[in-house]
Amino acid sequence: MERLLQQLKDIHHLSTEIQQQLQECFTKTVLPKGEFLITEGKVCRHLYFLEQGCLRGFYNLDGKEITHWFGFENDFVTSFHSFITQEPAVENIQLLEGCILWAISKESLATLLNTYHEAERLVRIAYEKYYIRLEERYVNAQFRTATELYENLLQRAPHIIERISLGYIASYLGMSQETLSRVRSRL
């Protein structure tokens, strides 16, 4: 919980009162590698803070898994569309390592947002960061070659290369594993 509070304090000042409320609202969840936080077709009812471990978000398309994001320590993760709209998720979130997460329900978060202005600011900043990552990813996918995508990943997020299997990385970059192997051999 200390790591979560520190991460939130790094985003914006927190009063003692809201820190106490946050401790009451978040629940610690420990899950093993391979578990799913959410599966397509189910409504996502929690927002998670990832204290330890890594996971991936992916879609199923014509029997093929398409990885579209990874989450690591200090990330807030959820199926955002499902969490916000309370409609069934179209994505899956799977743990790639054993994880320690802190979960807050949509209802508890709504109560915090309605009660504390500083909570509203925290969530707004978190959503802004999420949106920026999403837009950067979209622009990269549209305008970069396979080599540029991999070089960008090496420069921007080398921890992904160290912790994630090449099959998932290839899917994330929108290329086949063979193409990724060719790109890697040329560098």
Side-chain angles (χ1 to χ4, degrees), residues 85 96 114 117 146 165 167 170:
T85 65
L96 299 178
N114 289 331
H117 178 68
S165 75

Side-chain angles (χ1 to χ4, degrees), residues 32-50:
K33 176 181 178 176
E35 284 286 318
F36 286 83
L37 277 185
I38 188 75
T39 54
E40 60 187 290
K42 300 222 168 108
V43 175
C44 184
R45 304 199 186 280
H46 291 86
L47 174 67
Y48 300 90
F49 173 77
L50 183 54

Side-chain angles (χ1 to χ4, degrees), residues 125-187:
I125 292 169
Y127 282 179
E128 286 172 354
K129 288 181 179 185
Y130 176 77
Y131 175 79
I132 289 167
R133 280 184 20 202
L134 203 60
E135 187 172 305
E136 286 172 348
R137 184 141 162 65
Y138 174 76
V139 168
N140 280 336
Q142 296 298 313
F143 303 110
R144 294 189 188 250
T145 66
T147 301
E148 289 170 334
L149 287 169
Y150 185 71
E151 286 174 336
N152 185 45
L153 184 65
L154 279 173
Q155 183 179 50
R156 185 181 50 80
H159 62 281
I160 290 177
I161 308 299
E162 297 164 4
R163 293 175 69 180
I164 305 295
S165 75
L166 289 180
Y168 293 152
I169 291 171
S171 174
Y172 174 71
L173 294 175
M175 61 183 78
S176 70
Q177 203 164 342
E178 293 78 19
T179 300
L180 179 58
S181 293
R182 281 193 299 275
V183 166
R184 287 169 50 95
S185 70
R186 283 182 281 192
L187 296 177

